[in-house]
Amino acid sequence: MELAGDPMISPTLFLQLLFNGVLLGGLYALLGSGLSLCFGVMKFFNVLHGSLTLLSCYFTYSIFSLVGLDPLLTSLILIPAYFFLGFFLRRYLIGRLRTFDDILIVGFSLTIVLKNIVLFIWGARPRGVYTSYSMLAIGIIGDIRVPLIYLTCFTISLIGLISLHLILKKTFLGMAIRAVAQDPETASAFGVNPSLIKDLTFGISLSFIALSGTLMSTIYNFDPSLEVLFLIKAISVVVLGGLGSVLGTLVGGVVLGLAECFAGIAGAQYQAFVGAIIFLIIVLIKPKGLFGVYAE
Amino acid sequence: MNRDALTRTQAIIIVIVVVIAVIATLIYYAGLFGAATTPKPTPDYILIGGTADLTGPNAFVERIFVYGWKWAVDKINKQGGIYVREYNKKIPVKLIYYDDASDMSKAVSNMETLILKDNVLCMIGKMGPLAASATIPLAERYRVPTFGLAYYPDESVIKSKYYWSQPFESYEQHSSVLFSAINELKLETNRKVAILIMEDPLTTKFFDYYKETAKKYGFNIVYMEPFTILTSDYTVMITKMKESDAEVLIFLGIAPDAVTFWRQCKILNYRPKIALIVLGARTYGWVESMGKDGEYVCTLDFWHPTYPFRVAKYHATCKELAESWEKDTGEKWDSSLAEAADSIFIFADAIEMAGFLDREKVNEAMARVEGEYLSGYLKFIDRHLPVPDVLMQWQGGEKRIVWAPRDVPISIETPIAFPLPPWS
């Protein structure tokens, strides 16, 4: 459909797409990390992931609109709030459900409830968080411009993912989480309380959802229908990277981000298509993802 | 003697027969008279039915429709209702509507309930061509006049007998507004146009129309491409637009895409001389999401609270409708209010012209409806109500009319801001 323009991409455009893809990928990785952790440890698919991410966007929007608090600072409120929400949700609801079918049914029901809460409070009109730095860009190498908000979100995502990696690898809690993920009964024999660890893991998982929602709200406009998109992106990242691997999640996110950005060369309408093709290829070649850990 | 007695007996018999005949005749005619003059019971209400998305993805728009319907019904009822010749009196209107959450099967089921259970006289349909295609068969099967929002009079609308649609004038008019405005306002550009259109059954038709209208008005489309809804990165497209030196930009997409696109335009420092963002910049959510960077972007719409049109019979004005909405909801006005209110006023006029609460007669009367409504002077053409688009521009956080076709009798109070100032 394109009528004019150079079919070859210039080095500047290539580098611009590379930067955009990597930065966007970092954010996608953060979006997928909560889902990966949840599935890796508790072996269930959190269908609430998209709805809770969207809810975090709306909370950020409301706090920003009403109090004027910077969206990035809002995450300092939402992260602990979501942690406790996750902890108690796992302890008093999800943990009491016997089968995965029950968890799925309750999860989908809660998704509907959350969507209607969003509609009731905020309505269906698209919302957005506009800050003084939302549209600033830093000029680097020639004409390449890096969006400040993307760079900030990427940095925060990276800090979040490294923190998660360190928690899992270097702390007793992380060891306990990994032990429960591999064999809850053996972990229990060594004095670990699997139920408590799962409560904490779900809390941590939701904290990452809170953070990714806050960051997403600064980049995208959102409306109640976006929960599905958030969930699909998170699933794509997790499946690409491999369940339970922080490094895998980061790689999965970056692959998805790069695929979306570079697919624009073929045409804007192919962005989602190319992402889906890469997803299918990796699933066919490596069904457990690029860096699957807990899938064994 | 005998002869006299016989005469008396005969006389008595004759008198009795006559009396009986007179009484019988009186009873007979009294009965007929009574039957002819017993008034048919007047219905308490004229029922109009509707289905709308109150909880789904289109709830934002369709809740506005419901408000517009209710506002118009309230206006009509304040004047005592709609005059129905059959009963020689005014009858109030009652609106019945159900939530369909944008689920077409639920919408169809709602409409069947409205027709078969609630026995509505007429129906207000849903928005968009998909809804129209789901609704038209129902309207035809049950022969219920249905006022939908198909946006364009395609074959199914033209061929239907009971489906009436509004308010999009035509693809030609819609795609020519910016070009006409640039020419008439003598805005100086290099006449190179870049166009991005989201892939959607309704919007993809614009590719051909934009090509035709650009040629007709002396513009050169240097870049034109479709994109999928919720695209995350527009770098390639924006870079190509810059390379093509396009000074006129047209973006047709929903709000989340428009916001992402326009933000990336700033990040990549692409600033055309004039930018038209159709759909995405139509609502006040645009300035909320974009702040000052959303200023001076143009958009298309078919109604504004400053329109001078009114429905005199029911004392309904554009300004009052917008103020009522803003007061009740705390949100800014939207043109969907007018199209919704107009659909009720048009039904009211059709019912009054029909004179009977009969679906066939009301449907026949719809074709004769003509007059001033909130969206302008309206008349059906091919079962479709054309309402022309005007060019609006965001200035000072408000959407202002900056250009209108000559056949739209409105005054333009705000000059267009041109060219777009450098990015803030």
Side-chain angles (χ1 to χ4, degrees), chain A residues 1-4 13 16 20 61 119 124-125 129-130 135 145 150 218-219 221 260 264 267-269 271, chain B residues 55 60 199 221-222 224-225 231-233 235-237 239-240 259 263-264 266-267 285 288-290 293:
Chain A
M1 191 58 72
E2 183 193 335
L3 296 180
L13 178 58
Q16 181 74 61
N20 286 3
Y61 164 80
L119 278 166
R125 183 157 68 86
V129 176
Y130 182 81
M135 290 167 75
R145 293 165 67 86
Y150 278 53
T218 61
I219 293 180
N221 246 26
E260 285 186 359
Q269 73 272 37
Q271 283 190 329
Chain B
T55 54
F60 161 56
E199 283 197 313
I221 298 177
V222 292
M224 190 182 207
E225 199 165 343
T231 289
S232 54
D233 191 87
T235 304
V236 175
M237 288 132 268
T239 305
K240 287 183 178 176
V259 168
R263 283 183 176 184
Q264 290 180 4
K266 180 174 180 184
I267 287 162
E288 184 185 277
S289 302
M290 301 303 305
D293 290 313

Side-chain angles (χ1 to χ4, degrees), chain A residues 1-7 10 13 16-17 20 24 28 61 115-116 119-120 122-131 134-137 145-147 149-150 217-223 225-226 229 233 260-262 264-272, chain B residues 54-61 63 196 199 207 211 221-228 230-237 239-240 242-244 254-257 259-260 262-264 266-269 283-293 331 423-424:
Chain A
M1 191 58 72
E2 183 193 335
L3 296 180
D6 185 357
S10 63
L13 178 58
Q16 181 74 61
L17 292 173
N20 286 3
L24 196 62
Y28 286 167
Y61 164 80
K115 187 173 184 176
N116 281 287
L119 278 166
F120 180 74
W122 291 281
R125 183 157 68 86
R127 308 277 174 174
V129 176
Y130 182 81
T131 64
S134 286
M135 290 167 75
L136 292 182
R145 293 165 67 86
V146 176
I149 192 74
Y150 278 53
S217 72
T218 61
I219 293 180
Y220 297 113
N221 246 26
F222 44 91
D223 62 46
S225 66
L226 235 61
L229 183 82
K233 296 252 191 224
E260 285 186 359
C261 290
F262 277 95
I265 297 166
Q269 73 272 37
Y270 300 116
Q271 283 190 329
Chain B
L54 301 178
T55 54
N58 287 322
F60 161 56
V61 180
R63 280 183 174 186
L196 272 183
E199 283 197 313
F207 282 107
K211 280 181 200 167
I221 298 177
V222 292
Y223 182 80
M224 190 182 207
E225 199 165 343
F227 66 92
T228 43
L230 299 176
T231 289
S232 54
D233 191 87
Y234 292 89
T235 304
V236 175
M237 288 132 268
T239 305
K240 287 183 178 176
K242 274 173 81 173
E243 286 170 359
S244 306
I254 56 171
D257 284 321
V259 168
T260 307
W262 198 237
R263 283 183 176 184
Q264 290 180 4
K266 180 174 180 184
I267 287 162
L268 296 170
N269 197 26
T283 70
Y284 275 80
W286 173 253
V287 279
E288 184 185 277
S289 302
M290 301 303 305
K292 284 182 181 174
D293 290 313
E331 294 193 10
W423 287 110
S424 60

